[in-house]
Amino acid sequence: MKILFDEIDPRAEALGVENKLIFATGPLTGTGAPAGGRFIVVSKSPLTGAIANSCCGGYFGAQLKFAGYDLLIIEGKAPEPVYLSIRSDGVAIKPAGHLWGKWTTETETLLKAEIKQEFDIWEASDTSIVSIGPAGENRVRFACVMADGGRAVGRSGVGAVMGSKNLKAITASGRGEVAIADSEGFKKAVMDFLEEGRENKELEKRRMWGTWSLPGRANKTGTQAALNFQSGYFKPFEVFEDPAFIRDNIRVRDEACFGCPFACSKRSRIKDPDYPGTTKGPEHETMALVGSNCGVGDLDDICRVNYLCNELGMDTITTGATISCAMELFESGYLPEKDTGYPLNFGNTASMFQLVKETSRRQGFGDLLADGGYAVAEKYGHAELFMGVKKQGMPAWHPQGIEVIGLQYATSNVGACHTKATLPMYDGRRNPAHHVEWTKQDQDALAVVDSSILCW
Ligand code: SF4
């Protein structure tokens, strides 16, 4: 973040050459510290105009460290599409014209095949890849950077910044290791943490369910975003009160980030002959925003939208927030069908699939949606129907049910974001007299977690 403040003029155009894209690891990345294998992407956001600061798990951060780099600063713009290859023995900028337009999994598959051909199968399997999909290429303001077959650097449009630099992907693999000053002390600290974790019921739940225990829990307590935040409850989500319903229906396997014993990530299948494959998630935030908040209760439909967003490279939260805003405008009679080309009522999944694809290509009505929900609501004269902060849509937890989280969204330096707000309802912190104090306390604590680039 300091590099961003030091090096970027705040008046710089987020999608212009003067903006920079920073990939940073943390002090624990690649050390084997539990939940410490992450990296963060920082830039000026094309969605909010404020800072973008979005974190991701997987293996990319660790491989970057093993290759000998703590961070990358991407500057300027390549004249043609390129990708960046980072290895212990050097960095190369390579042509990526043949990858432009490809979905993110296909991009990874093609790059791995090239690496296998140039080096060997071991090098290909060790390589971690981050890439953008068509949404990033087309500067969709909430495009994300995807990593390792379905992980997302999701929020604030960092994928659009990557696209504006004509950078399709970065591959990283290293042969080095991260030096630790007191390796015995470090090992002991990790073992003590794991020992304590064995008794921790919350960690056990996280390993078992990932975030799949949350939609039912939020729905039951009236804090589930529903119908563009018109409600905190969505009847079709009652089936998710038993998270086993989700797990039994869609889970393929559990996956872990580098060095993390919790393996909380879930890979799921998509029941659609048009899209054979698997992807990561859907996480609770995705289930809320493209599910209940858009009036969609069918798990297969939610998985399909999650898959499309991951492959096209769009943040599922902002995609859902933007479409739900358009749905409320449509149902309120402010957005005419002649503009959308099809009915856009809540729960209309056929229209939703089409709109997701159009948005990634900036085609038809999708061109307006690609600028985010605030732009849509403002164009139709009802900015009040956009539910967000700093033009970034609110995530899953409805402030109506947990008022203090509304204050945390409202004062976050990146706009409304699930990673910049905690869930105070679970420790009984509801008294409004303490909202300001708790917000400050939580934001300070999260700043430490963010700066350490840890998972929470
Ligand atoms: S807790 Fe889950 S998301 Fe976090 S680092 Fe571990 S496996 Fe990754």
Side-chain angles (χ1 to χ4, degrees):
M1 204 76 83
K2 181 165 187 317
I3 296 170
L4 182 86
F5 282 119
D6 287 349
E7 297 196 8
I8 302 176
D9 182 337
R11 292 160 300 188
E13 165 53 41
L15 297 176
V17 285
E18 58 285 15
N19 195 10
K20 299 186 184 186
L21 188 65
I22 303 161
F23 288 76
T25 60
L28 293 170
T29 310
T31 60
R38 298 172 74 82
F39 67 100
I40 202 158
V41 181
V42 176
S43 192
K44 178 173 177 181
S45 164
L47 181 67
T48 65
I51 55 173
N53 157 357
S54 194
C55 203
C56 184
Y59 287 75
F60 184 78
Q63 289 297 342
L64 206 54
K65 285 280 246 199
F66 299 156
Y69 299 91
D70 289 326
L71 61 85
L72 309 173
I73 305 174
I74 314 286
E75 302 185 347
K77 178 184 180 184
E80 302 288 339
V82 294
Y83 78 91
L84 194 56
S85 158
I86 299 176
R87 292 164 35 88
S88 295
D89 59 4
V91 173
I93 297 173
K94 301 189 173 186
H98 60 301
L99 301 172
W100 211 245
K102 302 284 186 215
W103 290 16
T104 55
T105 300
E106 191 182 0
T107 300
E108 285 192 27
T109 307
L110 290 169
L111 281 172
K112 291 238 176 193
E114 286 177 25
I115 294 165
K116 184 177 161 199
Q117 199 170 25
E118 189 178 348
F119 301 99
D120 55 37
I121 191 167
W122 310 113
E123 180 68 18
S125 76
D126 280 354
T127 300
S128 173
I129 299 172
V130 295
S131 67
I132 55 168
E137 297 167 10
N138 293 318
R139 324 298 200 253
V140 173
R141 287 181 186 273
F142 46 91
C144 56
V145 175
M146 296 301 295
D148 296 328
R151 290 181 181 278
V153 190
R155 304 231 68 195
S156 307
V158 287
V161 179
M162 193 157 153
S164 74
K165 304 202 169 302
N166 270 337
L167 180 60
K168 177 69 179 174
I170 308 174
T171 68
S173 75
R175 292 281 168 263
E177 57 183 42
V178 180
I180 294 170
D182 174 6
S183 60
E184 283 313 307
F186 180 77
K187 259 187 236 156
K188 183 173 178 324
V190 169
M191 293 315 290
D192 289 350
F193 177 84
L194 293 177
E195 194 54 44
E196 256 176 59
R198 254 189 271 283
E199 308 300 319
N200 187 315
K201 294 269 176 297
E202 281 302 316
L203 281 180
E204 177 51 26
K205 261 194 243 162
R206 181 153 182 177
R207 192 193 60 73
M208 180 78 180
W209 306 115
T211 57
W212 287 346
S213 63
L214 300 178
R217 200 163 156 186
N219 206 39
K220 214 171 168 179
T221 52
T223 54
Q224 177 76 12
L227 308 174
N228 198 31
F229 288 87
Q230 292 178 86
S231 174
Y233 164 80
F234 188 56
K235 189 158 181 38
F237 268 39
E238 280 179 4
V239 290
F240 303 147
E241 280 173 23
D242 178 5
F245 177 87
I246 306 173
R247 194 179 162 101
D248 294 348
N249 273 288
I250 61 172
R251 175 184 165 275
V252 176
R253 62 175 179 268
D254 297 344
E255 292 182 350
C257 301
F258 175 83
C260 189
F262 305 128
C264 76
S265 295
K266 310 297 170 207
R267 181 157 289 276
S268 59
R269 58 112 189 96
I270 296 91
K271 220 194 253 175
D272 188 330
D274 289 340
Y275 309 117
T278 64
T279 193
K280 210 183 81 56
E283 302 290 348
H284 170 225
E285 300 294 339
T286 305
M287 293 183 70
L289 271 296
V290 303
S292 51
N293 210 39
C294 288
V296 176
D298 182 85
L299 190 54
D300 288 327
D301 286 337
I302 292 170
C303 286
R304 198 177 286 127
V305 180
N306 177 51
Y307 175 81
L308 275 177
C309 287
N310 285 351
E311 290 295 334
L312 297 167
M314 291 198 296
D315 172 27
T316 54
I317 300 176
T318 308
T319 300
T322 304
I323 292 178
S324 61
C325 172
M327 284 173 161
E328 189 174 353
L329 286 164
F330 182 87
E331 289 208 346
S332 306
Y334 304 134
L335 168 59
E337 191 170 329
K338 71 173 175 45
D339 286 12
T340 57
Y342 37 78
L344 197 56
N345 45 304
F346 282 111
N348 190 331
T349 48
S351 297
M352 199 170 164
F353 300 147
Q354 183 159 345
L355 197 45
V356 166
K357 286 186 259 184
E358 284 179 359
T359 302
S360 75
R361 297 192 289 255
R362 281 192 171 272
Q363 275 179 346
F365 185 59
D367 187 32
L368 176 62
L369 257 75
D371 287 332
Y374 183 82
V376 180
E378 193 185 33
K379 168 161 180 172
Y380 290 96
H382 288 276
E384 76 281 4
L385 295 188
F386 167 69
M387 299 291 130
V389 175
K390 291 189 171 69
K391 301 183 183 171
Q392 178 156 269
M394 287 195 293
W397 299 92
H398 198 321
Q400 185 179 282
I402 337 170
E403 300 87 348
V404 66
I405 217 163
L407 188 58
Q408 297 191 344
Y409 293 158
T411 55
S412 153
N413 58 5
V414 299
C417 184
H418 61 305
T419 64
K420 313 293 181 232
T422 58
L423 304 175
M425 69 173 182
Y426 294 129
D427 52 10
R429 298 186 303 167
R430 303 296 297 266
N431 184 345
H434 296 293
H435 282 178
V436 171
E437 174 196 336
W438 290 331
T439 295
K440 181 184 180 312
Q441 224 172 58
D442 292 348
Q443 287 178 345
D444 287 351
L446 286 174
V448 174
V449 174
D450 263 359
S451 304
S452 313
I453 314 197
L454 286 167
C455 187
W456 65 276

